Each structure stands twice: as structure tokens, then as C-alpha cells.
Amino acid sequence: MNEQSRSPEFDVVVVGAGVAGLYLLHRLREMGVTAVAFESGDDVGGTWYWNRYPGARCDVQSIDYSYSWDTELDEQWEWSERYATQPEILRYLGFVADKHDLRRDIRFSTRVDGAVWNDATSLWEIATDDGATTTCRYYVMATGCLSVMKDADIAGVGTFDGEVYYTGRWPHEEVDFTGKRVGVIGTGSSAIQSIPIIASQADELTIFQRTPNFSIPAYNGPVRPADAARINADRAAYREEARWSSSGVPREVAELSALEVTEEVRQERYERAWQEGTIFSLMGAFNDILTNADANDTAAEFVRNKIRSIVDDPVTAEALCPKTYPLGTKRLCLDSGYYATFNQPHVRLVDLRENPIQSITGAGIDVVTADGATSYEFDAIVFATGFDAMTGAIVSVDITGRDGVQLRDRWADGPHTYLGVMSVGFPNLFMVTGPQSPSVLSNMALSIEQHVDWICDTIEHLRTDGKAVIEPTPVAEAGWVRHSNDFADLTLFPQANSWYMGANVPGKPRVVLPYLGGVDRYRKTCDQVVERGYLGFEVSGEEGTEVNDGVIIQLQPDVGIMIEFMEELALPPMDSMSPVEARAFSEAMAAESPAGPDVGQVLDGTLPGADGNDLDFRLYRPAEQGPHPIVIYFHGGGWVIGNATSDDALCRDLCVRSGAVIVSVDYRHAPEARFPAAPDDGFAAVRWIADHVDDFGGVPGQLAVAGWSAGANIAAVVTQRARDEGGPEISGQLLLTPVTDCDFTRPSYTENGDGYILTTALMTWFWDHYADVADRDDPRASPLRAESLAGLPPAMIVTCEFDPLRDEGEAYAAALADAGVDVRHRRARGQIHTSVPAVNALLSGVSVRGEMADALRGFFPAGVPA
């Protein structure tokens, strides 16, 4: 390969001259990099050049939706309104372009038709609609997330004889609806913004609504003095706070659930959010509105009641109330008198759920009614049918990467990106606010700046390091897609057929498109990728190729957040405490944990232990009529801490899910009662309960054991002793992250021994309190070391990926299987030792607990009452 073949016409080609494209050109010019932008419009502005429909405004306050990279702009430009209109935003972007002389690097009225990666030259070849081809080393799609209109999937489109308008491609000249009969199809954001203005002109206005949207009043007007004062007090600090906020707008973070306050407090918070009038205020009123359906419904019903109070006609009001999806899982809208518009006598709503559109005709729109069909005649029809969001603008261009693969084909089942910035097989192709980045769920101006900075810093790093090509690894990309989906699965977003899910475009894969972890978490992750030597990337140059493979985030999202929270508390390690202090600490932490679900009955009692002294137990009975199978449960705590009620939430959860009676039994603790007191008590309890099954409301012969951690150790030992000492018969064993051996040399102790709550140091502390070194090889302490595991009851063993005990639990599962025992093993991906039992605190453990309950049911014959 000669040097000339490697010399591109430009270092960087940028597609788009909107908010992202302008900042890119500025940064690249500062770096001394040659760059050109192709823009299909005849001026700058991007989204704000094309979207000129009546009432078009930004839904983030102007003072936030503005550039921070040029601090002089804050002094030179004063926004006239809280939420700027499209013309004002376009003037602002034009002002920036003039100030920095950016237009000289932009080729206007030029559309990119295709881009092909040339592996021989390591360059992109960009074809434009003027017939030219431009080569570049780096190709950046700054095309915006809402820039490609969605086709109107309605029969008869194109047959209407009157005026036709699309909110996504509104004429540049003024449109006047005075004296006209107008139909608007759609009630999304652009419709909600435009309908009040169209209504003020038209003689008749008919709105065709397929799915109602939630909207709150914008209370537009001058920037509120309090908001201006907060920013002006220290603008640099405000901007920095925004960069590390969840939404890209500084806000107080809610710490309470909507379900743990009184109705009065809920309503007061919602009313305050309603009056604040931002898209972030209502969703941020409580910490679980997007993760808990019951919490979400309290906020949704608040908005529905607002709609009912505004709209006079109760039938119309009810039709405008969204009821088929959670609040916030479709884009929450801001409006200026939208709902009140329906009180005007010349405005009517057609509910397409009741009366679907049959077709568009030359005269207007025909809808299906109970009586047959109704025809509406119009002079003009406005299609407010939305956009092919986030991926549409990227895959609408023919982008061909390595081996002739087109990006649209690679993304046929949904986008595959690393950080929402790059995609495997497409070297040196960058996307600004691409899918699987926060983008549309954030203050876009801030997210754009973060992406542009990261991309430009990466290009500068490659130049400095003598590298020319960068591409994510398949492992890193798959890990990011999985992490993005993990976050989505913790939320209510998948319950809505929204453009966030791609569900508004027929045939588009239904996946959550934006990253839901927040601006702050995303920024931190991008920074960590760089700090770790561009983890997850392959880079190459004249001197060869370097691969730094890996996955940047492997923990389940909620588990990672919990660990971060614990680290912020800076609590003393438990292994630095005495046993008495550790017990008090554990009980204090448990008191702050969420409760488990309600069960039919809870009873406390005692039963005789191995030494004749009473052991406490707590019984959890299902609400359904018994008798029920019985599961004897042993709590965790390293044989040192805990009691019969310390795993209360988990026991409740297992009771509800499995339909079994759960009996949580205490045992003597070390160091006061060292080995073998705990397993002796466990075996004594199982024998006693087996002899009193009727007293517990159980089914004779249907007895299983379960436990977590040290409690799982006891459960495993009990099954071995029951086999060897004449019973009782045990139907199955459920072992959650069990201690099965005293060997600390396994890799999981090295890999996971620090930073994941349960540490190697703490396990050492537990063992030292529990058993002498000489006793630890005893199978009653290390059940993996039993002479034989044959003949044991079926087992379900759950291990966690980031647990020091992972390997010994998996070794026990393998040893049981080798001995002919029916074993079901589940390694809980992204989980730690303490996360699966965290009922109602960590959502990612729900599916694991569901499998645990399935295993318990499977231990008992079909037809047994449950």
C-alpha cells in the first residue's frame, strides 16, 4: 500500500449541519483536521431547518438546550422565551455558524447517497447526489435522531385532492388555514404543538387519534427569574452539574418511591411538577415511576384527572386519556393549550380505536363506524405521523463496511453498537447520539457535545499514537448491546409501542433504542473506556494492530448502582467489626431494606435444637387453601450473623412464587457456638418438622430444604445427613450461592474477592469465627468433600457471576451431576452474592427467583395442592 493511496481528500466527512455538525466542524478545525460537511438543506440547522410546522418548539428549556462550548454565546445571545420556537433556534444556529465562519466547510444542497469502506486504502469513499465521490479517513453521521419522516401507513395516501402537509417536511413559506376544513392525523408531539395554532385559523378542525399521548403544560413565556438566577449565579458550575446529571439538566434526584408516601404527599409532588412544566419534572417526582407499574399509575392517573378537569366533554376527555401504556414510555409532550383546544366548538376528535380509518379519498377521509362508514371532507390534511427515529437517518444512507456488508443489513434485527458511537464491521464510522446512547432521553444539546468531544478526542488520540483505523470488537459491542437491553428490561419502556421501541414503523425491529442509564452514567462509562486504553477497540496503523478486548460493564445495571451507593456510604468493612457489632450493623441495614410481598399468614414459633434449646422459626403460609408442600429455609450470614427473620423478604417471595409453606429456621451462631453446632441444629430442625408436618399444614412426604450462602451450606449438609442417618426423606434442595468448600484458591476468590460486597477478607473472617482449620475438611463444613454425593435429592443451585463463592458452588453442581443427582444449575449473569435475595430492591434478580420457585414446585409431584 503506497502512501498516496492512503491520503484522503479530507480527514473527516460529516453528514449534517445541525447542532452536532456545527460543533464537529468547530472542534475539527481547532484540531487542525481537514473536514467537510454535507448538508441536504440550503442552510444550517438540521432538524430545526426542516421542522417548521406551526408551534414547533424545543421541549427542553432554551437555556439548557444551547451550546456550552462557547461561553461567549451566553453573553451574546438572550433567549426570548422559556421554550424557543423553531425560527429562534434556527437563528441561534445561524448566529453560531456566522460567528465561527463554519459555512465555508459545508456543502449545502448536497445529499449523501452512499458510503463504502475501502479496506485496501483504509478510507471511506462518499458518494453524493451531484455525482461526486469524496474520500476521507473518518466518516461521522451527525444526522440527528428525528430527521427521517415515517411514511403514513394508511390506505389511499396520495389520492387526496386538497392540500397535504407533513409536520416533518413543512413548507418554508407560510401556510394559512383560515376558513378551511382541516384534518390532522396523529396526536404525537408535533400534532400537540401544532393543533392549537391550526385550530386558531381553521373553520373546522378534525383530529384523528390512534393512541392518545400524555402532555403537560409548558407555561411558556420569558425565562423564569428563578431559573435564570440559578444559572447566572455560576454558569460554569451549572453546565458542569448538567454534564453529570441523569437527563442533562440539573435536577434534584428523588429518593422516595411513589408508593411509600401518603396520597396527599403524592398529589402535592405531582402538582408541583405539573406547575414546573418540564418534561423531566413529572417523571422525576419519585424514583420508581419508570420501573414500577403501580407507582407509574399514580402519576398517570394524576395526568388523566388533569385532562378530565380541562376537557369539558367527558367522552372526549376519556378518549384523550392514555390507558394502554405507562406514563413516560412514549415521549412525554409539552403543550400550550392542547387539551383546552377540544373545548372549542369547531374542533372534534375522532377516536380511531373506535372508528378506524378505512381510507383517504379524493375528498377527505373515510372511517369505519358501527353503522358502516362516515366520510369527512377536508380542504387540507396534515400528517403528523412521526419519524423513523434514531436509526432511520443512519440506515437510509447506503453505508457499506467490511466485506460488502451494509449497515442496514447488519442492523436488520436491531442496532448493534458500542456506546452508540460505532459498530463492528464499519471502521472509522462514528455516529453522534446514535442508538444505544442517551440521545433522545436527554438534553440533546449536551449529549451531542459529549459525543462530539469523545469522537474528536478519539481521532486526536489515533493521530498522536500513529494509528489510522479504529473499530469496536465483537465482544465489546455484544456486551454493550446486552447492557443497554439489561437497563431497558428493568424499566416499563418495553410495554409501550413507541418510537423509542421502533414500534411506530411497520417492519422495524422492536427493541429499546435509547440507552436508559442516564447521561451521567453514560459519560462515566465513555470516560472509563478511554482510561482503560480504549477498552473494547481494535486499532491499527503502519506498525500493526492492537486489540484491547473486553466488556466495559458486566454487572447488572441495578447491581452496579447498588454497589456505587454502598461505596458512597463509605461504611466500615464488616470484617473489621466484632461479631456483636457485625450483627447490629446487619440488622440496621436490613431494617432499611424493602419488605417482601404479602403472604397468607406469618407465624412465629420455636422448636427444639440439637442441644435441647429452642430455635426460633418463622412460618410463611400461602394465601391459597392448603395443605402445601413444606420448604425448610436456612438464612445466610456466614454462620455468624442473621436469624429466622433476617431473610424475610426472600422467604415471602419464595412462598408467593412457589405456593409452598416456607419455614425459616434459626440455628446457633459462631463464635459462641462453633462448628458443628449450626448443621447439627439444621438437621435437628428438619427431623422435628418432618415429624410435625400436619401441625405446619404440610403434605406428608413433601419436604424440601433451601438456603442462601452459609444457610445453603447447612441445607446441603442436611440432605447428606438425611441420606446417611435414616431420613427424613427430602424431596429437593435449593442452594442459593452456597458455601460448599473451604478452599480459597479457586479463581473466583481472586476475580471477585474485592469490590462486590462479599469479599475474600470477609469470608476469611466468617470461617475463622466458625471452624478451626482442622475441622474445615469435614463434609459437615465442606459438603463438596463428602465421600459420595450419590443418592441425594434433586438440586437447584444458583451461583452468581461476581461472587467469591461462584466456583465452589459450580463445583458442587458438577459433582452432584457426576454422582447421578438430578441437578439444575443457573449462573446468574451480572449478579453478586447479595443481589438475588434483594427482593423489591434489585429488579434484575426477579427472573432468577422465578426459576428458584419453579425448581421448588418441581421437587413436588404434580397435583399437590399449592
Side-chain angles (χ1 to χ4, degrees):
M1 184 186 304
N2 61 57
E3 185 59 34
Q4 186 176 359
S5 69
R6 295 174 59 90
S7 298
E9 185 177 349
F10 293 96
D11 293 317
V12 183
V13 163
V14 177
V15 183
V19 178
L22 293 179
Y23 183 39
L24 265 163
L25 290 177
H26 171 75
R27 274 293 317 265
L28 293 168
R29 188 184 294 172
E30 279 191 325
M31 293 162 56
V33 171
T34 60
V36 64
F38 295 120
E39 168 56 54
S40 59
D42 60 17
D43 200 358
V44 300
T47 292
W48 300 108
Y49 173 88
W50 295 109
N51 284 280
R52 298 167 181 253
Y53 60 84
R57 295 178 186 272
C58 185
D59 58 5
V60 174
Q61 291 193 86
S62 310
I63 52 179
D64 293 300
Y65 188 83
S66 57
Y67 287 127
S68 70
W69 53 269
D70 181 351
T71 56
E72 289 182 353
L73 284 173
D74 293 327
E75 306 300 327
Q76 297 168 339
W77 186 273
E78 184 173 347
W79 294 101
S80 66
E81 294 184 271
R82 191 178 185 214
Y83 295 102
T85 61
Q86 175 269 335
E88 185 172 11
I89 297 172
L90 189 59
R91 289 196 302 272
Y92 173 77
L93 294 174
F95 178 82
V96 173
D98 289 339
K99 179 183 178 184
H100 294 280
D101 189 23
L102 298 175
R103 285 185 176 87
R104 64 182 167 94
D105 293 326
I106 304 171
R107 295 182 185 176
F108 293 107
S109 302
T110 305
R111 183 178 300 278
V112 174
D113 286 338
V116 178
W117 173 256
N118 187 324
D119 228 2
T121 62
S122 296
L123 300 177
W124 281 98
E125 299 169 355
I126 314 300
T128 48
D129 61 357
D130 57 5
T133 298
T134 303
T135 59
C136 63
R137 191 169 306 286
Y138 305 104
Y139 179 43
V140 185
M141 295 294 284
T143 45
C145 297
L146 296 171
S147 55
V148 171
M149 281 195 317
K150 166 187 170 290
D151 293 333
D153 51 331
I154 303 172
V157 171
T159 64
F160 181 60
D161 295 329
E163 301 169 20
V164 176
Y165 302 98
Y166 288 84
T167 54
R169 284 293 181 269
W170 201 262
H172 287 201
E173 62 274 8
E174 183 178 355
V175 176
D176 186 3
F177 292 109
T178 300
K180 295 178 180 178
R181 301 165 299 170
V182 182
V184 175
I185 300 175
T187 52
S189 180
S190 61
I192 285 173
Q193 289 183 332
S194 62
I195 282 170
I197 294 175
I198 297 173
S200 70
Q201 300 173 354
D203 269 8
E204 294 180 11
L205 176 60
T206 305
I207 296 107
F208 296 86
Q209 173 186 269
R210 181 179 299 170
T211 305
N213 255 329
F214 288 102
S215 186
I216 64 176
Y219 299 110
N220 203 27
V223 176
R224 291 179 174 179
D227 293 336
R230 180 183 179 190
I231 294 173
N232 292 333
D234 189 339
R235 192 174 291 272
Y238 180 87
R239 294 289 196 184
E240 186 64 14
E241 185 180 353
R243 293 183 185 101
W244 296 100
S245 66
S246 178
S247 63
V249 175
R251 294 193 56 80
E252 182 179 348
V253 178
E255 296 182 352
L256 293 175
S257 162
L259 305 179
E260 61 180 327
V261 299
T262 65
E263 177 67 14
E264 181 181 11
V265 170
R266 266 199 304 270
Q267 293 302 309
E268 186 275 328
R269 283 201 178 193
Y270 291 148
E271 183 62 37
R272 188 165 66 238
W274 180 270
Q275 296 300 326
E276 183 180 328
T278 75
I279 59 172
F280 306 115
S281 55
L282 191 64
M283 305 312 300
F286 294 100
N287 65 8
D288 57 351
I289 290 177
L290 283 172
T291 57
N292 185 300
D294 292 334
N296 186 282
D297 196 55
T298 66
E301 188 62 13
F302 172 85
V303 178
R304 288 191 285 261
N305 284 332
K306 285 290 188 181
I307 298 170
R308 294 167 184 137
S309 71
I310 295 169
V311 180
D312 295 338
D313 178 56
V315 175
T316 301
E318 215 56 39
L320 289 166
C321 288
K323 298 173 184 173
T324 59
Y325 61 91
L327 172 73
T329 57
K330 284 178 177 278
R331 182 73 172 187
L332 186 63
C333 299
L334 288 178
D335 69 83
S336 297
Y338 171 67
Y339 293 118
T341 301
F342 292 92
N343 293 331
Q344 299 179 38
H346 68 295
V347 178
R348 60 186 167 183
L349 178 71
V350 176
D351 185 351
L352 297 181
R353 295 170 299 180
E354 300 291 332
N355 303 295
I357 291 177
Q358 186 176 58
S359 69
I360 294 173
T361 67
I365 298 175
D366 288 350
V367 301
V368 178
T369 67
D371 300 326
T374 296
S375 296
Y376 295 89
E377 294 187 355
F378 299 112
D379 302 304
I381 296 177
V382 175
F383 289 91
T385 46
F387 296 89
D388 184 352
M390 298 198 69
T391 59
I394 299 173
V395 300
S396 65
V397 177
D398 292 333
I399 301 177
T400 306
R402 292 192 191 277
D403 304 319
V405 175
Q406 289 211 332
L407 187 63
R408 69 167 60 94
D409 294 332
R410 173 117 206 287
W411 287 7
D413 60 346
H416 298 268
T417 79
Y418 187 32
L419 305 174
V421 178
M422 300 193 78
S423 190
V424 170
F426 298 85
N428 290 4
L429 169 66
F430 297 97
M431 296 164 282
V432 180
T433 61
Q436 294 157 351
S437 75
S439 58
V440 294
L441 291 178
S442 68
N443 171 7
M444 282 289 288
L446 182 140
S447 285
I448 284 169
E449 287 189 5
Q450 186 264 334
H451 261 193
V452 169
D453 287 338
W454 195 93
I455 291 167
C456 290
D457 290 346
T458 297
I459 292 173
E460 183 62 27
H461 167 76
L462 294 171
R463 285 156 50 91
T464 302
D465 212 34
K467 299 295 189 297
V469 179
I470 185 169
E471 182 181 352
T473 69
V475 168
E477 181 186 79
W480 183 253
V481 172
R482 185 174 64 191
H483 171 67
S484 186
N485 290 337
D486 284 343
F487 243 121
D489 290 342
L490 298 178
T491 74
L492 304 175
F493 277 89
Q495 296 185 20
N497 290 320
S498 67
W499 58 259
Y500 292 145
M501 299 290 300
N504 65 320
V505 177
K508 188 171 181 175
R510 194 179 186 281
V511 295
V512 177
L513 295 173
Y515 176 68
L516 304 180
V519 169
D520 49 352
R521 190 168 306 283
Y522 177 80
R523 179 184 292 272
K524 179 181 178 181
T525 301
C526 290
D527 290 350
Q528 288 175 340
V529 166
V530 174
E531 291 164 4
R532 295 174 67 179
Y534 281 89
L535 179 69
F537 283 102
E538 174 182 309
V539 295
S540 59
E542 293 289 349
E543 296 182 2
T545 298
E546 299 174 4
V547 180
N548 184 10
D549 208 358
V551 176
I552 187 62
I553 297 179
Q554 299 183 66
L555 287 169
Q556 286 286 344
D558 53 350
V559 176
I561 292 170
M562 184 268 289
I563 290 176
E564 290 172 5
F565 174 74
M566 295 295 289
E567 289 175 348
E568 289 173 3
L569 293 178
L571 299 169
M574 191 177 291
D575 51 274
S576 69
M577 304 177 188
S578 70
V580 173
E581 292 169 335
R583 290 164 190 159
F585 172 79
S586 177
E587 290 172 6
M589 295 294 290
E592 299 297 321
S593 300
D598 291 335
V599 298
Q601 185 182 35
V602 176
L603 294 173
D604 290 331
T606 61
L607 54 80
D611 65 350
N613 291 316
D614 286 342
L615 301 174
D616 292 331
F617 72 80
R618 173 165 285 183
L619 179 147
Y620 305 84
R621 195 183 310 282
E624 297 79 15
Q625 184 68 36
H628 305 280
I630 293 178
V631 177
I632 302 172
Y633 176 86
F634 299 103
H635 67 80
W639 310 284
V640 175
I641 59 178
N643 53 53
T645 65
S646 57
D647 295 352
D648 182 78
L650 177 60
C651 290
R652 288 174 177 272
D653 192 77
L654 290 175
C655 175
V656 170
R657 291 177 184 275
S658 70
V661 168
I662 307 293
V663 185
S664 176
V665 183
D666 202 5
Y667 46 87
R668 285 173 289 165
H669 296 100
E672 294 85 354
R674 290 169 65 83
F675 172 84
D680 286 350
D681 280 347
F683 188 49
V686 168
R687 281 188 153 178
W688 193 88
I689 292 171
D691 291 339
H692 297 80
V693 166
D694 291 341
D695 297 338
F696 284 85
V699 180
Q702 300 301 308
L703 186 71
V705 294
W708 169 45
S709 192
N713 169 277
I714 295 171
V717 171
V718 163
T719 61
Q720 293 184 15
R721 292 187 62 177
R723 176 200 62 184
D724 298 339
E725 299 180 33
E729 178 145 353
I730 294 175
S731 302
Q733 50 183 322
L734 169 64
L735 310 179
L736 172 58
T737 59
V739 182
T740 66
D741 198 13
C742 58
D743 182 2
F744 280 48
T745 65
R746 289 188 170 86
S748 59
Y749 268 103
T750 301
E751 297 167 7
N752 307 323
D754 192 25
Y756 300 114
I757 310 299
L758 179 65
T759 64
T760 299
L762 183 55
M763 276 307 301
T764 302
W765 185 85
F766 282 140
W767 271 107
D768 287 346
H769 283 301
Y770 176 55
D772 295 337
V773 173
D775 291 329
R776 296 179 189 180
D777 289 339
D778 191 311
R780 292 172 299 168
S782 297
L784 180 59
R785 304 195 178 207
E787 185 174 328
S788 172
L789 299 179
L792 292 175
M796 166 69 172
I797 297 179
V798 176
T799 59
C800 290
E801 184 177 7
F802 296 98
D803 181 2
L805 305 184
R806 181 195 66 205
D807 292 353
E808 63 192 78
E810 295 181 359
Y812 195 61
L816 287 172
D818 289 344
V821 176
D822 181 9
V823 179
R824 178 178 175 184
H825 170 234
R826 163 71 185 275
R827 179 193 276 200
R829 179 178 59 81
Q831 300 288 345
I832 65 173
H833 185 77
T834 56
S835 58
V836 172
V839 176
N840 290 334
L842 300 178
L843 298 177
S844 60
V846 169
S847 63
V848 182
R849 294 195 300 275
E851 289 188 38
M852 291 162 57
D854 288 344
L856 289 177
R857 285 193 298 272
F859 293 153
F860 310 115
V864 173

